[in-house]
Amino acid sequence: MTDQTPAQYTGPRRILSGIQASGALHLGNYLGALKRFTELQETGAPLFVFVADMHAITVWQEPEKLAAQTREIAAAYLASGLDPAKAVIFPQSAVPAHAELAWIFNCVGRLGWLDRMTQFKEKSGKHKERSSVGLYTYPVLQAADILLYKATEVPVGEDQKQHLELTRDIAQKFNNDFGAPGYFPLPEPLIQGPATRVMSLRDGAAKMSKSDPSDLSRINLTDDADAIANKIRKAKTDMEPLPETVEGLEGRAEAKNLVAIYAALAGTTREAVLAEFAG
Ligand code: AMP
Ligand code: TRP
């Protein structure tokens, strides 16, 4: 790479994000992503929110289910408060330019960069050589999703941080290689709020995930009030009462998670929750 000045993007602020069309959404998706999108539509900056149906097919999907899952995510966007008058909502596959730009970025990104991606390591497991090529190059398509619209801000959960770093690396290298500093912005991840990483209700060391075999580990957005109350009652905790301070939650992953969930849903801080419930 040449030693050029860093990219100076001067275009307008634009916010973009997406969720994969791969099945039911849970509280982690809501607090890490959906709720953030609806807050950001009030900022006045253009907001693009899509359903990542092409990302979904990096692992096997039943063809007849994929269309329904795509609509379900779109319905969740609307149900959580996204307003089509304020946000552009669309399925990724409706815009062929995502795939076209992804190909160009496949030729810009480096194998060594993708080799570091922890999500690929987790999803491919012990059988890396039997994973789809698409699963490996998944983050390159994500970079195309973002840079196609020259998005400057991307609200996501903590787990997407590395993919955003890769997006910035691709943008920077493209700008350098083609002598166009400032062509693509270097997008910022927006990882904010008290619950950017919601953990499993059964294991404070694992994130809440749709792939967890135990349904008690997660709160699905389609669960009714009784099911939710039951899962919270059964959630793993420890013997100690709640501490006075946030520091006192260190080493108590399960208690920490429940406090963060409560704070996020009540629209307050963990400090305020502890002030009310300590002891
Ligand atoms: P996914 O379901 O993996 O496509 O994720 C969709 C969005 O939800 C992304 O922005 C993720 O970062 C976010 N997300 C997924 N799981 C969690 C979690 N346990 N806590 C917080 N955010 C999450
Ligand atoms: N990889 C993201 C996830 O699993 C989904 C996604 C695809 C995305 N393209 C994106 C998120 C572009 C933000 C921006 O959650």
Side-chain angles (χ1 to χ4, degrees):
M1 256 199 270
T2 52
D3 201 7
Q4 283 181 1
T5 45
Q8 284 297 315
Y9 181 75
T10 54
R13 183 175 172 216
R14 275 195 195 139
I15 307 171
L16 172 141
S17 196
I19 293 183
Q20 267 195 80
S22 44
L25 293 171
H26 52 73
L27 187 65
N29 299 127
Y30 179 70
L31 294 176
L34 288 163
K35 186 164 181 279
R36 306 276 305 117
F37 302 167
T38 58
E39 288 159 5
L40 288 163
Q41 77 183 343
E42 307 306 333
T43 60
L47 175 64
F48 300 81
V49 184
F50 64 94
V51 184
D53 51 352
M54 295 199 297
H55 276 108
I57 60 170
T58 56
V59 297
W60 175 250
Q61 301 292 335
E62 292 298 335
E64 54 288 353
K65 283 196 192 147
L66 184 60
Q69 285 169 197
T70 303
R71 284 195 298 273
E72 257 173 54
I73 304 286
Y77 286 159
L78 300 177
S80 64
L82 271 185
D83 178 352
K86 293 181 184 159
V88 182
I89 302 173
F90 62 102
Q92 182 187 33
S93 61
V95 184
H98 287 245
E100 292 166 9
L101 186 59
W103 179 254
I104 294 174
F105 285 169
N106 271 327
C107 303
V108 173
R110 305 286 97 174
L111 276 181
W113 301 356
L114 288 182
D115 279 338
R116 287 197 288 272
M117 295 294 119
T118 53
Q119 184 174 295
F120 176 75
K121 289 179 197 160
E122 280 160 24
K123 286 196 180 173
S124 60
K126 291 190 201 93
H127 302 292
K128 181 171 178 271
E129 64 290 343
R130 274 191 261 152
S131 300
S132 73
V133 176
L135 188 65
Y136 186 70
T137 177
Y138 176 117
V140 177
L141 177 59
Q142 184 162 349
D145 296 337
I146 297 168
L147 295 172
L148 184 60
Y149 301 89
K150 298 195 171 180
T152 54
E153 289 155 69
V154 184
V156 281
E158 183 77 39
D159 59 349
Q160 294 300 311
K161 202 171 168 197
Q162 203 185 32
H163 289 167
L164 263 291
E165 278 157 17
L166 183 92
T167 301
R168 294 165 63 90
D169 288 344
I170 288 176
Q172 178 90 66
K173 185 165 177 358
F174 183 100
N175 290 354
N176 283 343
D177 287 358
F178 298 101
Y183 185 77
F184 284 121
L186 305 186
E188 292 291 339
L190 299 180
I191 303 172
Q192 293 156 345
T196 54
R197 189 171 164 82
V198 179
M199 307 310 282
S200 155
L201 298 180
R202 307 298 302 163
D203 173 5
K207 76 171 182 176
M208 186 177 285
S209 153
K210 59 189 145 214
S211 53
D212 193 311
S214 165
D215 194 59
L216 282 176
S217 73
R218 70 184 152 260
I219 293 175
N220 304 299
L221 294 192
T222 50
D223 285 346
D224 62 22
D226 288 342
I228 294 173
N230 184 42
K231 285 177 181 179
I232 292 287
R233 248 183 262 117
K234 290 211 172 110
K236 192 176 163 203
T237 48
D238 54 45
M239 306 297 283
E240 302 299 317
L242 281 179
E244 306 274 340
T245 64
V246 172
E247 294 73 55
L249 288 169
E250 282 319 314
R252 298 178 61 191
E254 284 83 9
K256 191 177 172 185
N257 188 41
L258 289 176
V259 170
I261 289 174
Y262 186 90
L265 291 174
T268 179
T269 61
R270 292 182 303 170
E271 287 78 3
V273 174
L274 293 179
E276 195 177 344
F277 296 107

